[in-house]
Structures are given as structure tokens and as C-alpha cells.
Amino acid sequence: MSESSLSLRSTVVDATFHSMEEVNELSRASGREGEYRQLSKGRITDRWRRLTLGESMLSSHSIDKRIHGHLSPSRGYVAMAVMPPPYFMLVDGREFGSGQVLVLDANSQRDFVTPGETACYTLIVPESVIVASGQALFPRMRMNGGLASILAVPSSGWSTLHGEVTGLLRNGRVSPEDLSHLLSRFLGLMAGEPERRHEEVSLGNRSTALVARCAQEYIEDHYSHTIRLEDLCRHTGVSLRTLQRSFSRYFQASPVEYLLSLIHI
């Protein structure tokens, strides 16, 4: 991994990792709280590019295996993400992909599951900057503190945002003007227009999420002992079919596959 100064305040970091320990280490260095866990077998390849300017950061993250992450930005920061087509991931069981913007603050730690090869671009900035910029540019915009949102936005605005993010990451440098302009793009899509409000999707199917998370907690508390599917059904209070369907939809892995990922850590 190498780091080089590009200007008085701008730096770029390129990294390729093949172990989850390294992935989690860089994730924490990139302003994320939580951890990743590999769900599928085989040697993982995880590529990062991180552009840093002051307290703000723009990063790309691509990975070629099925993983589960329980993540949020560091306290005092907000993360805004887009995914290049054709990639997608599940966020609390809800599909997030092209044509959408994901917004997270430090109080909204969520489950992320990638179905396989995927990529994501993320801008992380101080929450104070988001609030001040939002009030100045879009006085009527309200921030949903503590709640994660997936915003379905107009295709033209999303394409422009995606193109600008891709260009900055490809060039490997970012200026204060670049970040200010990019933040304005994100805020504009988040604020919407009076005559064309964007669809805001509340994350997670409650019943699916509750069953999956309840089963996950039981597995993580008891994986050192013998766990039967009957035990999970009894603990979650649902049938075997509902358990397997809910868990697989939420985590993109069966309860048995998830258990094996813990055993092989």
C-alpha cells in the first residue's frame, strides 16, 4: 500500500487486500465503525482508493466475494454513497444499487451484504458541514438524524453525480472546490424539488429484519456449541421455512453458511 501527497492538503491511498483483517483495518482508517465478515469461500480480493482532504474523504471500494458488514460512519460524520452499475448490495435486506443514493449517519449502523462481486463509491464528511451546507443551500431540507435512507433519485441527476465521482476517483486528486461541488450535488438530490419529490425508502422489511437479526444474535452467542435449526426456530418463534427465507434474504447466506463463516474466522 502506498500513500502520496498530491497537494498541500490532498492525499490518495491505493490498496489491495486479500484478508478480512486488512479490510477491517483500512475500513476503520476510512472513517467507518463496525466490521466486515466473509460469507463465501475462497481468497478475497478487495481494492480501495481513498482521497482525503482535511476531514472529508472520497473513496471507492470493490470486492469479489460475498461479505457481510455491520457498519456506520464514525461519530460526527455522515456518509453518502452511490453504486456503479450493474452492481448492487443489500442494506438491512433492502436492495441498493444504480439510480439511488444511500445516506448514513453515526447513529444508523446497518447490515450490508454483497451478493458477490460489487463496488461502491462513498463520500464521508463532518455532520456539521452537512447541516451548515444544507441550511445554506436548501433551507427546507430536513436531515433524518439516526435513520438510514435510500433515496431513489432522477436518472439525469444520478448520472451526473456518478460521473463526477468516477472522474475524481480516476484522477486521484480532489480540491476543496471539487468536494464543495460534489457535496452540493448530493445535497441537491437529497433535498429534491418541490414539484418532483424523490422517493425515500425506509430501510428494511421489519418482519424479515427482526427474524434474521434475532437468529444472527443467537448464532453469534452460541456458535461455540452445537446449534440446530430447531433451536433457531424456537428462539425466533417462526417456522423453519420462514427462518431460512428471512435469513437468506437478509444476509444472502443460509443460517448454516453464516455459522460456518464464524467458525472459520
Side-chain angles (χ1 to χ4, degrees), residues 16-51:
T16 299
F17 295 135
H18 297 289
S19 75
M20 296 310 298
E21 290 79 8
E22 293 175 316
V23 171
N24 282 316
E25 182 179 348
L26 184 61
S27 178
R28 288 187 289 270
S30 299
R32 296 170 176 85
E33 300 291 337
E35 65 175 4
Y36 291 102
R37 178 179 298 127
Q38 185 173 342
L39 296 178
S40 57
K41 296 179 180 179
R43 185 171 183 257
I44 194 169
T45 298
D46 192 342
R47 294 184 175 88
W48 291 72
R49 166 159 281 201
R50 188 180 72 195
L51 306 179

Side-chain angles (χ1 to χ4, degrees), residues 203-248:
L203 287 177
N205 178 292
R206 179 168 295 275
S207 59
T208 296
L210 286 177
V211 171
R213 291 294 298 278
C214 185
Q216 177 204 24
E217 291 174 1
Y218 186 90
I219 292 172
E220 295 197 351
D221 288 342
H222 300 87
Y223 74 90
S224 59
H225 306 286
T226 300
I227 298 179
R228 299 176 302 169
L229 289 175
E230 291 84 351
D231 298 328
L232 290 176
C233 291
R234 189 178 304 109
H235 182 72
T236 56
V238 298
S239 67
L240 177 60
R241 181 180 178 183
T242 298
L243 168 69
Q244 293 179 319
R245 183 177 59 211
S246 299
F247 200 95
S248 297

Side-chain angles (χ1 to χ4, degrees), residues 6 16 21 34 67 69 113 122 163 177 262:
L6 297 175
T16 299
E21 290 79 8
I67 63 169
V113 178
T122 306
E177 292 76 17
L262 290 177

Side-chain angles (χ1 to χ4, degrees), residues 72-187:
S72 70
S74 296
R75 184 162 298 280
Y77 289 82
V78 174
M80 296 155 286
V82 294
M83 298 198 72
Y87 301 120
F88 74 95
M89 69 172 69
L90 298 181
V91 183
D92 279 1
R94 177 79 63 176
E95 185 172 313
F96 164 55
S98 176
Q100 299 173 310
V101 172
L102 174 66
V103 184
L104 293 172
D105 68 12
N107 297 314
S108 52
Q109 193 169 76
R110 297 291 173 173
D111 280 305
F112 296 81
V113 178
T114 67
E117 182 179 359
T118 194
C120 186
Y121 304 153
T122 306
L123 176 65
I124 298 178
V125 299
E127 185 175 6
S128 58
V129 174
I130 286 281
V131 173
S133 299
Q135 290 175 346
L137 296 172
F138 307 99
R140 295 183 179 182
M141 185 177 74
R142 299 178 63 183
M143 294 292 292
N144 290 328
L147 296 177
S149 299
I150 292 178
L151 306 175
V153 301
S155 58
S156 58
W158 186 90
S159 296
T160 300
L161 172 64
H162 174 259
E164 293 180 357
V165 170
T166 301
L168 291 172
L169 288 166
R170 183 186 302 115
N171 292 336
R173 63 183 305 155
V174 62
S175 68
E177 292 76 17
D178 291 329
L179 280 183
S180 178
H181 184 71
L182 196 59
L183 179 57
S184 297
R185 289 283 190 196
F186 270 108
L187 288 172

